[in-house]
Amino acid sequence: METKLVKPTDEMIALASDLLKKGEVVGVPTETVYGLAGDSSNAEAIKKIFLAKGRPMDNPLICHISNFEMLGRVAKDLSSDAIKLARTFWPGPLTIVVKRGDGVCLESTAGLDSVGIRMPSNEIARKIIERAGIPFSAPSANLSGRPSPTNAKDVFCDMNGKIPLIIDGGECDAGVESTVVSALQETPVLLRPGVVTKEQIESVLGKKIDVAKGVLEQVAKDEKVLSPGMKYRHYAPNASVIIIKSDFEKFKEYVEKNKADGTYALLFDGEKVDLPSLYYGGADDDKAQAHNLFSKLREFDELGAKTVFARCPKQTGVGLAVYNRLIRSAGFHVIEL
Ligand code: AMP
Ligand code: MG
């Protein structure tokens, strides 16, 4: 199959919508990362998404809507917490897990009676949904296990020959996937951190929320988890990534002592070690770290890195999302000095 990589003109947005209505899969920009979109109600379209990514079939997809009327088709019995969160953070990078409505096929939710729903703020994604008149389900548009794509070139790199169309909407703002919160329980549960922070959610709900085990810790493959996606190795470049939890002086001493051929460093802006290095933002700039992380991980592959020693981000605010992605890309390999 030929994969067209095109600019978001009205004509190409119309083409993307038509392809979705016909049950095809399209690469689309969102404010988080690029998505691989297919009609949420069409089991055949959804199967094509899983196949193109090589995604495990038990890992559910997020359903994307463009207005509140669509919400009634894809969800039911919304709790007051779910409604408060939707009214506050939509359109934007928050996915809310609620009871599944008939407009989402079981293939899309991996057989679950719940569904993660989000209303993206990215104008191109919204126009495609509006024009097609149907919600789309979309995971990140990478091959399963690889870092998520934050620009159209990275989508092309993973999806060339597998899907008919990729819309190039430039670089994604956030750079990490949406925050996922389950509103099925009396006390909502953070399933995946993102740029909408735990602190922001708690302030809107006026209560503390729980954090699922898989957010910061490794869960066993056969362990039952609230969010199936947490079980899998994720976001990994070819190089082995090792997070070093320490201050900069100890980091520098350790990596310079342990460097070999193909060893690189992932640093905060302004730092310097005697190793080829890439930078992913200021030590206190968690938003920049989120924005840059995945593209830097992909850049290490282009450079042929074998080992990457990474500076450890803070675990508060958006930093929790950065740490959650980095620790998965490292296969939970952390050295504390
Ligand atoms: P991705 O499509 O790669 O952005 O991953 C979607 C994430 O949302 C995965 O971690 C899923 O496990 C999670 N998710 C989606 N739908 C549900 C659901 N119904 N219940 C729990 N987690 C979900
Ligand atoms: Mg993904």
Side-chain angles (χ1 to χ4, degrees):
M1 179 186 303
E2 192 209 343
T3 302
K4 276 200 233 170
L5 176 58
V6 301
K7 294 284 174 208
T9 59
D10 286 347
E11 198 190 346
M12 288 302 129
I13 284 170
L15 176 61
S17 305
D18 289 346
L19 285 168
L20 283 177
K21 283 198 278 189
K22 284 189 199 142
E24 291 301 332
V25 171
V26 179
V28 296
T30 82
E31 70 275 22
T32 57
V33 300
Y34 274 73
L36 210 51
D39 177 353
S40 296
S41 69
N42 182 336
E44 292 312 311
I46 300 302
K47 282 182 198 157
K48 287 180 192 168
I49 296 176
F50 280 90
L51 192 69
K53 273 186 72 89
R55 181 175 174 105
M57 294 299 288
D58 67 347
N59 192 359
L61 307 182
I62 290 168
C63 170
H64 297 67
I65 59 176
S66 59
N67 57 56
F68 279 93
E69 178 272 317
M70 281 183 183
L71 185 57
R73 285 149 60 182
V74 295
K76 60 185 179 197
D77 307 337
L78 296 180
S79 63
S80 59
D81 285 345
I83 293 167
K84 262 189 219 163
L85 292 173
R87 294 234 169 266
T88 310
F89 294 106
W90 288 356
L94 178 71
T95 296
I96 309 171
V97 176
V98 295
K99 278 198 192 150
R100 184 176 59 86
D102 293 337
V104 182
C105 66
L106 272 173
E107 282 73 9
S108 179
T109 62
L112 297 174
D113 281 334
S114 60
V115 60
I117 300 175
R118 167 164 118 74
M119 189 188 288
S121 61
N122 179 286
E123 281 304 319
I124 300 164
R126 295 168 64 78
K127 276 190 197 161
I128 293 171
I129 304 171
E130 272 307 296
R131 178 148 187 150
I134 46 174
F136 67 64
S137 292
S140 49
N142 51 289
L143 290 173
S144 213
R146 301 254 309 134
S148 302
T150 55
N151 59 64
K153 171 184 78 62
D154 290 348
V155 181
F156 190 80
C157 181
D158 282 18
M159 290 298 149
N160 185 18
K162 296 179 171 225
I163 58 173
L165 186 71
I166 299 165
I167 305 283
D168 183 354
E171 263 187 44
C172 300
D173 285 343
V176 291
E177 302 81 353
S178 58
T179 305
V180 181
V181 64
S182 172
L184 292 170
Q185 302 79 354
E186 183 65 32
T187 302
V189 185
L190 182 74
L191 300 179
R192 177 172 74 184
V195 299
V196 171
T197 63
K198 174 173 177 279
E199 295 84 347
Q200 285 175 304
I201 292 172
E202 288 177 334
S203 140
V204 166
L205 296 180
K207 61 182 175 188
K208 289 276 175 202
I209 63 168
D210 289 333
V211 178
K213 185 174 175 230
V215 169
L216 292 172
E217 288 166 62
Q218 191 165 21
V219 291
K221 268 238 150 104
D222 52 0
E223 203 167 329
K224 195 167 165 22
V225 287
L226 282 175
S227 176
M230 288 189 218
K231 289 186 297 189
Y232 298 104
R233 182 168 153 85
H234 253 127
Y235 319 125
N238 297 325
S240 17
V241 177
I242 302 168
I243 301 175
I244 311 285
K245 247 187 198 170
S246 71
D247 60 27
F248 176 64
E249 287 314 310
K250 284 193 185 136
F251 176 92
K252 181 174 159 64
E253 194 187 316
Y254 181 87
V255 302
E256 290 180 353
K257 206 186 275 172
N258 288 280
K259 70 180 177 184
D261 222 22
T263 306
Y264 285 70
L266 179 62
L267 304 178
F268 296 132
D269 293 351
E271 297 175 341
K272 200 167 162 24
V273 296
D274 186 19
L275 243 71
S277 307
L278 295 178
Y279 295 85
Y280 76 121
D284 291 318
D285 192 348
D286 51 11
K287 288 206 172 122
Q289 294 162 16
H291 180 83
N292 294 319
L293 179 68
F294 286 138
S295 61
K296 294 299 162 188
L297 290 177
R298 283 180 176 258
E299 211 176 316
F300 283 121
D301 280 350
E302 283 160 27
L303 293 166
K306 291 192 188 122
T307 305
V308 175
F309 290 120
R311 291 277 280 134
C312 186
K314 293 197 176 128
Q315 289 166 44
T316 49
V318 178
L320 186 64
V322 179
Y323 184 75
N324 168 273
R325 304 312 190 276
L326 188 58
I327 198 169
R328 276 173 174 68
S329 73
F332 291 87
H333 192 168
V334 181
I335 294 175
E336 211 161 339
L337 298 178

